[in-house]
Amino acid sequence: MIIRQEKKSDYDEVYELVRISFATTPDDDGTTSDYLNQIRKKDTFIPELSLVAENDDKKIIGQIVLYKTNITTSNTSNGEITELLLSPISVHPDYFRRGIARAMIERSLSIAKKMGYKAVFLCGDPKLYGKFGFIPSYEYNIFHITDDLKKAEWSMVYELYTGALKDISGTINTV
């Protein structure tokens, strides 16, 4: 397997991969592929953090994208701190449980750290993403904008280095 930066020529194949991958999710509404296309058009998109995994036959079997998001905070003069959001990540159903998602997550986190980012946020299953080191963002006093109880386990974050979020608090909108 090779993990590399996504190219524009990959977009149609990745669109189909995301569609097929999310079709296995019970709460999928069929729009995740379109969501990814919208992300690519925004100024928050970072091409270096849009990766694909290819098998030995050069078929794209996985994709991941991290893009800019803001923490609304009182810790800065402008009221925002820019970090990253992971969404979506997809693996073709024929390749589930082979370590592809883990490899893509690890590669993307490594690149993000080298680029100088402090943290990566996501909304997801704590049992799944906890295996990769993500923890609920409320543990850092960073709350999802819809989290009225301030205990959303599904609003998660990964610190790219220890203490990266030490003096930061606020809200994040990961959708």
Side-chain angles (χ1 to χ4, degrees):
M1 177 181 68
I2 295 171
I3 298 174
R4 63 167 173 81
Q5 184 176 331
E6 179 187 46
K7 300 179 279 193
K8 286 185 180 183
S9 59
D10 297 326
Y11 286 4
D12 289 343
E13 188 176 355
V14 170
Y15 183 93
E16 188 62 17
L17 166 73
V18 174
R19 189 188 65 73
I20 290 168
S21 299
F22 276 85
T24 66
T25 307
D27 59 349
D28 176 58
D29 65 0
T31 62
T32 306
S33 295
D34 296 322
Y35 170 74
L36 178 56
N37 282 343
Q38 292 168 3
I39 290 167
R40 293 186 188 115
K41 296 175 185 174
K42 296 181 179 183
D43 62 354
T44 56
F45 179 68
I46 306 166
E48 298 86 352
L49 291 171
S50 185
L51 307 176
V52 295
E54 291 180 333
N55 67 8
D56 293 338
D57 296 328
K58 303 285 187 206
K59 178 184 174 188
I60 295 175
I61 57 172
Q63 74 70 229
I64 187 170
V65 64
L66 279 63
Y67 61 96
K68 294 178 197 173
T69 191
N70 289 321
I71 303 168
T72 303
T73 182
S74 59
N75 298 87
T76 64
S77 58
N78 72 351
E80 292 183 335
I81 297 171
T82 301
E83 291 304 333
L84 298 171
L85 174 64
L86 186 165
S87 179
I89 181 171
S90 306
V91 174
H92 192 284
D94 292 346
Y95 293 86
F96 282 178
R97 292 174 192 79
R98 296 188 189 182
I100 296 166
R102 177 175 296 281
M104 290 188 304
I105 289 172
E106 288 173 355
R107 175 74 59 84
S108 65
L109 295 177
S110 174
I111 294 168
K113 185 175 182 178
K114 288 176 186 172
M115 293 177 78
Y117 289 97
K118 295 179 181 181
V120 177
F121 291 83
L122 61 77
C123 288
D125 181 352
K127 290 179 184 174
L128 173 64
Y129 291 103
K131 295 176 187 176
F132 303 114
F134 285 84
I135 64 170
S137 62
Y138 71 76
E139 292 188 23
Y140 291 101
N141 290 316
I142 300 171
F143 306 98
H144 192 275
I145 196 165
T146 66
D147 183 15
D148 295 333
L149 300 177
K150 307 229 182 285
K151 290 287 183 186
E153 297 287 326
W154 47 263
S155 179
M156 305 185 79
V157 66
Y158 181 93
E159 273 190 317
L160 292 170
Y161 59 89
T162 303
L165 297 173
K166 180 181 171 218
D167 296 319
I168 298 173
S169 61
T171 58
I172 189 140
N173 185 2
T174 54
V175 213

